[in-house]
Amino acid sequence: MPEIVVHAVEGRSAEQKKNLMVKITDAVVESFGVDRDVVVVSIIETKATDKARGGIPYSERNKT
């Protein structure tokens, strides 16, 4: 059973996350030749204050 985990900063809508999960599932079905029912996709969200790139929290990035 393929299981895919996506790590992302919070802020996407439920519709955006569902769309991503459907597209990932489609790609795994096509690439691995498995049934849709065996593909598991999880989205792990992190608060922007709890994730950083280059030492700068996402909550502070792109502020002008």
Side-chain angles (χ1 to χ4, degrees), residues 25-39:
T25 299
D26 290 344
V28 173
V29 167
E30 180 181 332
S31 298
F32 284 9
V34 297
D35 293 331
R36 298 183 71 74
D37 291 343
V38 302
V39 179

Side-chain angles (χ1 to χ4, degrees), residues 8-17 43-48:
V9 174
E10 67 181 356
R12 272 72 174 198
S13 69
E15 184 176 325
Q16 288 174 312
K17 291 184 277 188
I43 299 175
I44 309 299
E45 293 184 294
T46 305
K47 291 183 180 190

Side-chain angles (χ1 to χ4, degrees), residues 47-59:
K47 291 183 180 190
T49 56
D50 297 339
K51 190 169 192 166
R53 180 187 300 184
I56 301 170
Y58 277 74
S59 60

